Amino acid sequence: MSDTEKRTALVYAECAEGALRRVALEALGAARRLAGDGGSVHAVVVGGGASAAALGTAAAELAARGAEVVHVVDDPALAGFAPEAYAAAIGAAIAAVQPSIIVLGHTAAGRELAPRVAAAVNGGHIADVTAVDVDDDGGAAAIFTRPLYAGKAFEQRRFLPGAPQVITVRPNNLPVAEPVAPGSEGTIAALAYSAPPLWTIVRDVVRKASGRIDLAEADIIVSGGRGVRSAEGFAPLEELAAVVGGAVGASRGACDAGYCDYSLQIGQTGKTVTPKLYIACGISGAIQHLAGMSQSRVIVAINKDPDAPIFGVADYGIVGDLFDVVPLLTEQFRAILQKPGP
Ligand SMILES: Cc1cc2nc3c(=O)[nH]c(=O)nc-3n(C[C@H](O)[C@H](O)[C@H](O)COP(=O)(O)OP(=O)(O)OC[C@H]3O[C@@H](n4cnc5c(N)ncnc54)[C@H](O)[C@@H]3O)c2cc1C
């Protein structure tokens, strides 16, 4: 694609159990910026089976937020996440739209799909984008920022003109697409696809974190480390999280000690999170933990040890026993937010 051509972007709008994930709206916002005023933005939603009814709601939201056409691929075979099948469904949308830019969320599914999509279109791929800088010419010379070395440094990349561009955007970093003016919403269209032979089949999904706020998309995270001392030690953290409407996370130290499930682990080998507020309780601040949370907007650390490395990245540090400090914080938040007591 030359720099002067009209840009068409396609968003893979990821749903979880039929409901649109927030990162899908962030991807749509990025796509709208990248396409620029003269360009067009399409979205594709994929699913089937029990979640099929919700796809329509997801599609309507995308259309109301600036997707010119939302392509709905609804097939019982897509009820569970099968990478080959989902990539084929996105491929059907690519064939229909011929996009020059394809945007996905940098989620577990997005990470699996993006390289397949990039290979299928013979395009370039930039993963884990945390910022998009677009020139006034409509985005032809977009510069993508992504973290390196577990967040210790950032690099800026751009695509060479000519090949389709595939990016994944890190959740919670880019603004969501705002609704468009009434009357200018996009249209919704069913899209057929042919199911490919599957090399892998998901037989069962075990939801260890069901009912919890998704860590990757949480605005507030209260996280516990080995300093919580036991599974019961997480109770004050759960209570604080409930009062502020946040999620509970953990260090690997806490997971390894059996205080909580590995689905809560944040860090290099756990989840990457970027909440507005991260409260680290009894976490020393090992480099592998910082890799997953140092991009949080405001970091509060509670630790008995004034020399704990976590204070090096914290915006606010409280030197003290978490079992004294956390209940005090909960009480204060309860009063400020006018939440009833236990
Ligand atoms: C290859 C590899 C990958 C890894 N990936 C990850 C990862 O993804 N995520 C991760 O977190 N770690 C990861 N680790 C492990 C990491 O190196 C640390 O071991 C781990 O983060 C330590 O967890 P912690 O801070 O909870 O425990 P500790 O380092 O033991 O720290 C506990 C802290 O709690 C404080 N404390 C104790 N009691 C209290 C109290 N009552 N009140 C307040 N403070 C208290 C102590 O002062 C101490 O600072 C990885 C390691 C390796 C080698």
Side-chain angles (χ1 to χ4, degrees), residues 166-246:
V166 180
I167 63 165
T168 52
V169 295
R170 184 182 279 204
N172 266 355
N173 270 264
L174 301 170
V176 297
E178 293 298 328
V180 292
S184 50
E185 297 94 343
T187 55
I188 298 170
L191 183 68
Y193 96 116
S194 35
L198 300 184
W199 292 91
T200 53
I201 296 171
V202 178
R203 299 183 65 143
D204 194 13
V205 177
V206 181
R207 298 197 186 285
K208 292 217 169 173
S210 70
R212 292 177 184 272
I213 298 171
D214 185 348
L215 276 172
E217 294 186 354
D219 278 339
I220 301 178
I221 295 176
V222 183
S223 212
R226 225 185 319 246
V228 300
R229 293 203 299 256
S230 65
E232 295 70 39
F234 265 92
L237 279 59
E238 299 267 5
E239 202 179 335
L240 174 56
V243 167
V244 297

Side-chain angles (χ1 to χ4, degrees), residues 224-229 250-256 265-271 281-292 302-306 308-310 318 320-324:
R226 225 185 319 246
V228 300
R229 293 203 299 256
S251 71
R252 177 158 141 189
C255 301
D256 282 346
Q265 184 184 320
I266 289 165
Q268 186 181 318
T269 43
K271 295 198 166 92
C281 312
I283 294 177
S284 60
I287 182 72
Q288 296 90 354
H289 187 74
L290 303 187
I302 304 164
N303 200 303
K304 283 205 297 202
D305 174 6
I310 191 78
I318 303 173
D321 190 315
L322 72 92
F323 294 104
D324 297 331

Side-chain angles (χ1 to χ4, degrees), residues 21 24 28 32 78 94 113 135 139 160 208 254 286 291 311 319 325:
R21 297 189 63 163
L28 182 62
R32 281 177 61 183
L78 298 164
I94 291 170
L113 291 169
D135 285 355
L160 295 174
K208 292 217 169 173
F311 289 127
V319 178
V325 176

